Amino acid sequence: MCASGPSRRVVLAGTAAAAAVTVIPSFSGVATAATPSYRWRQVVIGGTGFVSGVLFHPAVRGLAYARTDIGGAYRWDDRSARWIPLNDDLGWDDWNLLGVEAMAVDPAHPDRVYLALGTYTQSWAGNGAVLRSEDRGATWARTDLTVKLGGNEDGRGTGERLLVDPRDSDTLWLGTRHDGLLKSTDRGATWTTASGFPGTPSGSGQGVTLLVAAGRTLYAGWGDSDGTAPNLFRTSDGTTWEAVPGQPSGTAAKVPIRASYDCHTRELYVTYADAPGPNGQTDGSVHKLATAKGTWTDVTPVKPGGTTSDGSADTFGYGGVSVDARRPGTLVVSTNDRWAAGDTVYRSTNGGRTWISLKDSAVLDVSETPFLTFGADKPKFGWWIQALALDPYDSQHVVYGTGATLYGTRDLKHWAPQIRGLEETSVRHLISPPTGQAHLLSGLGDVGVMYHERLTASPSRGMASNPVFGSATGLAQAAAKPSYVVRTGFGDHGNGAFSNDGGRTWAPFATQPALAKDAPGPIAVNTDGSVLLWSFVHWDGTRYPARRSTDNGAGWSEVPTFPKGATPVADPADPQRFYAYDTDTGTLYASTDAGLSFTAGATGLPSGDSQFELVAAPGRVGDLWLSVKWNGLYRSTDGGATFTKLTSCWASYTLGFGKAAEGADYPALYLVGSVESSTAVYRSDDEARTWVRINDDRHQWGWIGETISGDPRVYGRVYIATNGRGIQYGDPV
């Protein structure tokens, strides 16, 4: 292994830079003496999202970090063999910071780690921030930036865009998408635009795609080139930048994706593609630069553009690259966005002169996370492989990220998910059944519906199949017949299904409306399971009339009086009643003829937001609760004819029910909303007259306003849907 460069350490005190620092957590809680203590854990699924970067520390065995596009960053704990989440203390107002644009470690100071956070660069998203830690992410100091970062935008798998200068540990560099190159000389406390950097943003949203040190020289990839202008720059003094002479050009080398330096041979390896990825790539290449001589060599394992055995075009780019710190000339690279032939990881032991595909001999074991088969006979080796890392202390330990997991090997042949502790699901629906083997049913983005017999293990049956969904759009259970469950979602072989065993096994509806293929929306089932009501919403927001079925999905008829695109809600006690809230007009619609027709009830309620939520209290006729975000919480006890606004909270984003407290005759209520100054998680045991906050400042998970559910069998247990941190659940202790 190569020695790291010199560094110096300073302590910031009483300086202007120190004044710019805020310390996390900064969330103002409402905890009081009455606040109960909760233990928070993750419902185990295993990954399910795009792991956009993996970084081993070069000087500490077993220390690694991973970043995700919407779920924060993680540290690998070698002792427990699991990932430790590092950003769960980011609260509601900081939801945009759970997308990690880049990360960096300091080779000379193993306890230091840095994160550049920001999910989107659009005008409605907040600015980015840089977090820095002296204790491997246990605590953070934070500096808010004046620029935006795009951890969930195209190019999120490039990088790393953040770098500790090997000549000076106090100096950091940060590549942005729209604002050029930034520099900090006080370990990330303050940032200024780096002078002399030649890149001129074009508006493509890529900017600086990577930063890497090759000895004492820094290299920066530039993603806004047209393929003919230079896209790789370097500096040897931190001030003067130049285009690297002789660099490759053309479509196959348009965007530098990632780079890795072999300090033994003094060669820099760079992967390229014609687009930033992780999608939309059709061409790519791998090149190496002999930094001492200044000569370039094309070492691309396989050129894109051929055909597969079935005649499909074999188009793809190149993604990850990582050199072996112990074996000169040994490295791995990955293809990316190779849908026809399937992505692979190539390995070379002679500096890229020859390569072998590790996929060709791979044995994949996904028994720990069975959903990775996605309904097929066996799992894919991977897709969207841009995160790729080779352990500097173990030449046979390679990990790579995909769109759903992180695979690892210890012998270059046998691969399994190395994902424990990392949960990135975007959760849409939660049902905790009152009886049966399942403790939880969930409808998820990208990975459909899952049935959890145990909360501590990934579902043994994987995703719900027959049909397999990408993203779930609806999930409902018959209140008086919990063995009957229905689901809807986006799928290639059907968009609706039913189960007669509580969600263990499924069958597709015998027929489905034509709208279902492109606009499958939420679905409801009445309390005895005899009537289905399916709403339709296109991904572009276009809404359509609902359809009704009385024969388990064999036939469907239009319900013209149902408000288009609304979410149907079944009364849990009366099979003749359905409800729907028209968010355009602020009107509650009700049906008393099992969904055949709907009439207007209460009017003049808050309107204008499609994410307002209507829920029905279990076991009661006409007991409705309406969450209207910052407009508060409303309740009706007459089936929606009238509503009363509650004064116990001023904001309600989502509301759910669980087992009643001992001695109480009404279910416990769980709220994501605001009772005092905080947007947090609350419980009420007295029909919302009073609330207690049950989460704490260390457990906030960003935006958690999609859905929440208590457990009808376990008092105090609550399940929380997050947008990138999976399903969190808490129990009182």
Side-chain angles (χ1 to χ4, degrees):
M1 300 175 72
C2 305
S4 61
S7 64
R8 57 187 175 87
R9 182 173 183 173
V10 299
V11 177
L12 296 175
T15 66
V21 176
T22 57
V23 177
I24 293 178
S26 60
F27 192 88
S28 177
V30 297
T32 67
T35 299
S37 177
Y38 260 69
R39 179 189 181 190
W40 293 99
R41 289 170 286 182
Q42 302 172 125
V43 175
V44 174
I45 300 174
T48 74
F50 183 43
V51 179
S52 48
V54 180
L55 186 62
F56 282 100
H57 197 286
V60 180
R61 182 187 293 272
L63 178 59
Y65 296 90
R67 63 179 169 94
T68 68
D69 51 6
I70 60 172
Y74 296 78
R75 181 186 70 248
W76 177 254
D77 182 74
D78 210 34
R79 183 176 302 176
S80 62
R82 64 186 300 109
W83 294 97
I84 307 300
L86 301 180
N87 301 122
D88 283 356
D89 55 355
L90 291 172
W92 184 272
D93 293 337
D94 288 324
W95 67 267
N96 189 54
L97 299 184
L98 277 175
V100 186
E101 182 82 287
M103 55 189 176
V105 296
D106 187 339
H109 297 271
D111 291 339
R112 293 181 184 172
V113 60
Y114 302 89
L115 299 177
L117 307 180
T119 310
Y120 300 107
T121 61
Q122 280 73 22
S123 59
W124 42 261
N127 290 337
V130 171
L131 302 186
R132 57 195 187 282
S133 176
E134 298 278 348
D135 52 16
R136 305 186 183 186
T139 61
W140 298 96
R142 167 175 164 178
T143 295
D144 291 320
L145 301 174
T146 59
V147 305
K148 298 179 185 295
L149 304 179
N152 193 35
E153 297 184 355
D154 284 351
R156 58 193 182 273
T158 66
E160 295 293 321
R161 302 176 192 243
L162 184 64
L163 180 70
V164 176
D165 196 310
R167 299 161 302 182
D168 180 1
S169 287
D170 293 343
T171 299
L172 273 70
W173 303 84
L174 173 62
T176 73
R177 293 169 176 267
H178 299 284
D179 300 277
L181 182 65
L182 305 184
K183 182 179 181 180
S184 172
T185 57
D186 52 16
R187 298 209 308 274
T190 60
W191 294 85
T192 58
T193 301
S195 60
F197 186 74
T200 301
S202 69
S204 75
Q206 294 308 309
V208 178
T209 58
L210 66 86
L211 294 165
V212 65
R216 297 172 65 84
T217 300
L218 307 183
Y219 289 80
W222 186 248
D224 287 349
S225 171
D226 61 2
T228 59
N231 58 22
L232 191 67
F233 303 98
R234 69 184 178 192
T235 181
S236 57
D237 60 9
T239 301
T240 305
W241 291 83
E242 65 171 355
V244 179
Q247 62 184 270
S249 61
T251 302
K254 183 179 178 181
V255 181
I257 304 298
R258 286 187 172 268
S260 187
Y261 180 61
D262 189 329
C263 59
H264 300 288
T265 64
R266 299 174 68 183
E267 292 173 322
L268 179 70
Y269 294 85
V270 186
T271 58
Y272 293 91
D274 60 341
N279 59 339
Q281 296 177 337
T282 61
D283 202 358
S285 60
V286 183
H287 296 260
K288 72 174 180 179
L289 169 66
T291 58
K293 300 178 181 178
T295 56
W296 285 88
T297 305
D298 186 340
V299 293
T300 307
V302 173
K303 300 288 186 182
T307 57
T308 62
S309 57
D310 64 359
S312 301
D314 189 18
T315 60
F316 57 94
Y318 279 90
V321 57
S322 185
V323 302
D324 191 323
R326 295 181 175 272
R327 299 184 178 184
T330 297
L331 71 152
V332 288
V333 300
S334 66
T335 63
N336 185 68
D337 208 30
R338 192 180 192 182
W339 293 104
D343 278 307
T344 187
V345 172
Y346 289 104
R347 182 173 184 260
S348 175
T349 58
N350 55 16
R353 290 193 296 275
T354 60
W355 300 87
I356 60 169
S357 169
L358 297 182
K359 182 178 73 171
D360 294 347
S361 60
V363 178
L364 269 65
D365 177 4
V366 298
S367 57
E368 188 168 316
T369 52
F371 76 89
L372 287 171
T373 62
F374 288 90
D377 294 334
K378 60 182 180 179
K380 291 183 178 180
F381 185 78
W383 68 99
W384 282 13
I385 305 177
Q386 293 189 296
L388 176 66
L390 206 164
D391 189 335
Y393 287 88
D394 183 353
S395 296
Q396 304 236 313
H397 183 200
V398 180
V399 295
Y400 66 88
T402 77
T405 194
L406 187 73
Y407 281 113
T409 182
R410 298 282 182 170
D411 61 5
L412 303 180
K413 179 179 179 180
H414 296 89
W415 301 79
Q418 190 172 320
I419 203 72
R420 291 180 186 174
L422 198 159
E423 299 289 347
E424 200 190 348
T425 321
S426 177
V427 184
R428 313 286 177 77
H429 311 277
L430 294 172
I431 294 176
S432 184
T435 60
Q437 292 183 327
H439 281 270
L440 189 68
L441 302 176
S442 55
L444 313 169
D446 296 332
V447 289
V449 170
M450 294 196 178
Y451 173 100
H452 268 92
E453 305 99 326
R454 294 187 296 147
L455 303 177
T456 55
S458 189
S460 61
R461 304 179 69 87
M463 296 167 56
S465 58
N466 193 27
V468 171
F469 292 162
S471 291
T473 57
L475 181 65
Q477 186 174 47
K481 186 182 177 183
S483 61
Y484 186 73
V485 190
V486 291
R487 61 184 173 94
T488 55
F490 287 96
D492 293 333
H493 303 287
N495 303 89
F498 68 93
S499 171
N500 282 316
D501 55 12
R504 285 180 58 83
T505 61
W506 297 85
F509 295 144
T511 65
Q512 66 177 33
L515 288 168
K517 181 172 178 56
D518 296 318
I523 194 169
V525 55
N526 68 345
T527 186
D528 64 9
S530 62
V531 179
L532 305 178
L533 200 60
W534 193 352
S535 183
F536 297 93
V537 184
H538 195 270
W539 60 265
D540 65 3
T542 305
R543 293 171 287 182
Y544 301 93
R547 300 296 194 271
R548 177 178 180 267
S549 176
T550 58
D551 51 13
N552 196 34
W556 299 88
S557 58
E558 183 176 320
V559 184
T561 53
F562 184 90
K564 292 181 180 179
T567 298
V569 175
D571 191 283
D574 185 348
Q576 296 298 307
R577 292 177 179 259
F578 283 95
Y579 311 98
Y581 186 65
D582 186 345
T583 59
D584 288 340
T585 63
T587 302
L588 190 286
Y589 285 84
S591 171
T592 57
D593 56 8
L596 275 170
S597 62
F598 284 77
T599 57
T603 61
L605 295 165
S607 61
D609 195 313
S610 62
Q611 292 183 332
F612 291 165
E613 179 190 60
L614 179 71
V615 293
R620 288 157 173 79
V621 175
D623 190 351
L624 306 178
W625 298 74
L626 179 63
S627 294
V628 284
K629 294 189 172 180
W630 50 86
N631 292 298
L633 179 64
Y634 290 73
R635 184 184 182 187
S636 172
T637 56
D638 56 11
T642 61
F643 276 86
T644 300
K645 185 174 183 179
L646 280 73
T647 59
S648 60
C649 67
W650 62 267
S652 178
Y653 298 95
T654 183
L655 183 79
F657 303 90
K659 184 177 181 180
E662 185 175 355
D665 59 2
Y666 197 85
L669 283 82
Y670 297 92
L671 170 82
V672 175
S674 300
V675 171
E676 296 182 9
S677 60
S678 306
T679 299
V681 184
Y682 297 90
R683 190 188 75 221
S684 175
D685 296 331
D686 56 10
E687 293 187 58
R689 287 188 290 273
T690 62
W691 300 89
V692 291
R693 183 184 177 188
I694 59 174
N695 73 324
D696 55 61
D697 291 350
R698 295 180 299 109
H699 300 94
Q700 300 192 80
W701 315 288
W703 188 80
I704 51 175
E706 186 71 33
T707 189
I708 189 171
S709 176
D711 193 307
R713 289 178 274 183
V714 182
Y715 167 69
R717 177 173 290 177
V718 60
Y719 305 96
I720 300 172
T722 76
N723 185 43
R725 280 289 290 120
I727 306 167
Q728 304 290 329
Y729 75 102
D731 287 306
V733 293

